[in-house]
Amino acid sequence: MEILQVIILGLCLGFVYALMVSGLTLIFGVMRIVNLAHPILIISGAFVSYWLFILFGLDPILSVPAAALTVALLGVLLYKLIFEKNAAQQTYSEMTVLLTFGTAMVIDGLLAFLFHNTQRTASPAYATDAIFIGDIFIPLAQLYSGMVSLGIIVVLALFLKYSEFGIAIRATSQNRTSAELVGVNVKFVCLISFAIGCALAGSAGSLVSFVFSFFPSRHWEWIAILMSLVVLGGMGSLTGAVIGALVLSVVSSLVGAFYSPAWSTMVFFLALFLILIIRPRGLFGIRTD
Amino acid sequence: MTSLLSIRNVTAGYGYGPDIVHDFSLSLNESEVKCIIGPNGAGKSTLLKAVAGILKPRSGDIFFEGKNLSGKEAYQIMRLGICFLPQERAIFPNLTVAENLRMCAYSIKDKALAASRIKAAIGMFPVLGQRLKQIAGTMSGGQQQQLVYARAFTIKPKIILIDEPSLGLAPSLVEQTFSHIKQIASSGIAVLLVEQNAIKGLQTSGYGVVMDLGKLVFEKPANEVLQDQSLRDLYLGKALKK
Amino acid sequence: MISLICLPIVQFFGNYNYVIHMVLFSFLYITMSSSWNIIGGYGGFISIGHNVFFGIGAYFSGFIYARYGISPFYTAVFAGMIATVFGFAIGLITLRVKGPSFIISSIALLMIFRTLFDRWELVGGAHGITLPHNTLSVEWSKIPHYYALLILMVLSIYLSWYVRHSKFGLALRSISHDEIKSEVTGINIKIIKVTAYALSAYLIGAAGAIWGDYLTYVRPNIFFIILIAANMVLMCILGGKGTVTGPIIGTIVMIFINEFILANFGASELNIFFTGLLMILTLLYFPDGIIGSLKKRKLLPGFLDWG
């Protein structure tokens, strides 16, 4: 019974992780930018929800749109200032990675300066509650955040699958020139995809604000965690990212429960390292270079 | 009389490299079919890329229906009515056939019109209709080729630029491809064709344009080019001597 | 050079510990960025986890000092060797990927080591190892470190210069341009890459040993933080990666900027902010770095042009 309990908790968190990486994988797919600033954008979103909760008592789940919008605007700003020139060429280069690395440092420094590196968690009423199904107990925070994440991912998947613009996004990520030749304004698609990716980071941040404790510098750890998820699923593939997130989250929960919580994050780092080395293309195949 | 497309003194090249196309001029009228031939490295493909806007010309101007295309992005040029089919198969291999067709019609703002055009294209290529849910990259070469040419009937451009349509195709597919091109030409769309298989290309076209080292050598009606003995030796290769 | 050797004389005239500290801090970072430059600059493998070797060196010597009382000044040579061995082993694995994948794997590597040392009770877990102070008086306590790091710095610059002008370095630079073409010309690219990686680990490991003794403690959250690696990368890029003098100039400029920020704004969080900002600005507007840009415009004075 205990093992089932751990797996269910792992799955709930897994959906949150999946939401956290969905934006990363979208941006990589369209622009070939490995956005190391993604985790700090998530934390920015978490701060938005956290302060809305502390100052106005707004439930973090209800502030998902606010956080998404704020971070999307921040993303558009970053895109215009930093990435526009590189994104236009779709170069998959070290240089863009270092640019995102620098961006991550800038936001990290700014947030740490404003709010200090103290651990924070938004604590809505349900954060300490749980429901019982038979012997299995599920904390409401995990349950709600998992469900909201799942919902957002489904909406994203439907958008990419069926809407005209969604198909254009997928077409652009497959072949930029071909997309341009059927009349797609590729630069606009890039900008919007970047904004959507950042909005996804922001909405994930809202959920993070009450599921995890967070502080600005924590994003370094999350860089490696998120990278492990996308690399497992194959960069640029949403389905792959979701599967990667669920698998690693469950494994990490199992390690945490049956071996030692101290080693649970090691699962992500080791997985990332090994997959990059053994199969640079990721287990589910979509190319990384 | 102003022609539909007029290329005036265009010079183009890649990156910091040398000029590939040099001071080139050419015009194309409505419903006209011209085939550009010439040896490898003559700058034929580069010229098409410059017209399509994938490559910005270094100097010179390109006019389409009297409008100067310089400074326009590739997608804007395409929306004006110039469709470019590059050498590598211009489909999205990981999208389904239906999604590919929707992308073909992406530039058509009127959704009802887009749907009817797609339907018409499927009518011309029934195989595509049977395989709407299939991932395009998993179809056979011939079927993929049909998907490529379905685009011309979906968007109905004024000009279609085709780069080396027979490159790397099996002989039977070459026949199929040229019949598609003839179909396009007979529907009234002007075609600017670049082709290594000179005989096939010229047989399909009204005019032959010979290009070498980035420059125009001459332009003549296609049947005259085919009969020109000196040209055969120079540009069309020994195989044609028979 | 002579003035650097003689600089500690100032201590006869008063307490100039701050000056000494800043100079030896520069030595440390020049050693590290010059070493990083071998694999990152000449080889084109951008590692943002290179301080793993810094930590390994520090932990090795620190552990021996705390347990057996042998000073890191003697064991630094071996600390470097241990770092090299690790470099060789890690290089064999990670250098199979390149470009962004390599960058990400280097971050993963750093996180793995950070987690390991945070949990490894034998070496003190998250608290790390505390080392005894040396018995010298306050004015003179920094002097041994000063000279040790000076030696390491000179070695690192020499090594960088040597690699730049050797056949080995030529092979390395050709790999950074095009691995496949290099392989076709008969270069054993695997050996070259891994050797360069291991070589760049040596002096960083030795410097880690000295730095641990200087700080008198070795902790994961001091040695295994990404900021150190970020500094190495930025110093090289700012000065001009792939040049011998670039990392030196870049380091000096960076340390001045850092000090300026600390003196004017105080908060170390802002230091991260400005480091990141500088990295973005350099990459966007100045990708060849100081030396590289000067060289391109043929403005580089001869005494800075070491290749």
Side-chain angles (χ1 to χ4, degrees), chain C residues 54-101:
Chain C
F54 189 53
I56 289 173
Y59 264 96
F60 174 78
S61 283
F63 181 71
I64 289 183
Y65 193 23
R67 176 77 49 114
Y68 305 106
I70 305 170
S71 161
F73 287 97
Y74 302 115
T75 54
V77 178
F78 303 104
M81 284 180 192
I82 296 288
T84 309
V85 171
F86 269 96
F88 211 84
I90 294 169
L92 275 178
I93 309 170
T94 60
L95 289 167
R96 292 167 49 181
V97 294
K98 60 183 173 198
S101 300

Side-chain angles (χ1 to χ4, degrees), chain A residues 95 106 109 112 262 269 276-277, chain C residues 93 97 115 119 269 273 277 283:
Chain A
M95 169 127 148
V106 165
F269 307 145
L276 272 179
I277 304 316
Chain C
I93 309 170
V97 294
T115 315
R119 315 275 186 267
E269 288 89 0
F273 171 80
L277 192 62
L283 285 167

Side-chain angles (χ1 to χ4, degrees), chain B residues 67-79:
Chain B
K67 280 184 289 255
N68 194 335
L69 296 185
S70 62
K72 288 219 170 15
E73 301 272 346
Y75 78 94
Q76 291 170 318
I77 292 175
M78 185 273 157
R79 288 181 183 184

